[in-house]
Amino acid sequence: MARIEILAEATGNVWKVEIQAGTKVEADTPLIFIESMKMEIPVSSLDAGTVVELRVKEGDAVEEGQVVAVMEC
């Protein structure tokens, strides 16, 4: 199985976490939402797989390009 790092697409704060470690997801499933400039930006899975690590929690500040989750596909 391949490990894929999921990256934040914008700088902001984690507004909502939709998953947890162990969650199986389909491709394009929203994993977290980042609030940036009063917009809610979804960060979605790239492929179907299992989330093995969640590196952020609600309220955390994130930078664009930061790893927010790791999946096995």
Side-chain angles (χ1 to χ4, degrees), residues 12-17 32-35 56-62 68:
N13 293 312
V14 177
W15 175 70
K16 188 171 186 180
V17 176
I32 68 169
F33 289 88
I34 296 173
E35 182 180 30
V56 296
K57 62 184 182 308
E58 290 179 7
D60 284 355
V62 294
V68 295

Side-chain angles (χ1 to χ4, degrees), residues 9-72:
E9 298 175 10
T11 298
N13 293 312
V14 177
W15 175 70
K16 188 171 186 180
V17 176
E18 294 284 325
I19 48 86
Q20 58 187 324
T23 303
K24 292 182 181 183
V25 297
E26 298 298 321
D28 298 321
T29 300
L31 306 176
I32 68 169
F33 289 88
I34 296 173
E35 182 180 30
S36 180
M37 298 175 60
K38 299 186 180 184
M39 294 176 27
E40 294 152 7
I41 301 164
V43 178
S44 300
S45 59
L46 304 174
D47 289 314
T50 302
V51 177
V52 293
E53 185 179 353
L54 184 61
R55 295 190 180 175
V56 296
K57 62 184 182 308
E58 290 179 7
D60 284 355
V62 294
E63 296 291 325
E64 183 176 354
Q66 178 179 335
V67 177
V68 295
V70 179
M71 291 182 56
E72 282 187 348

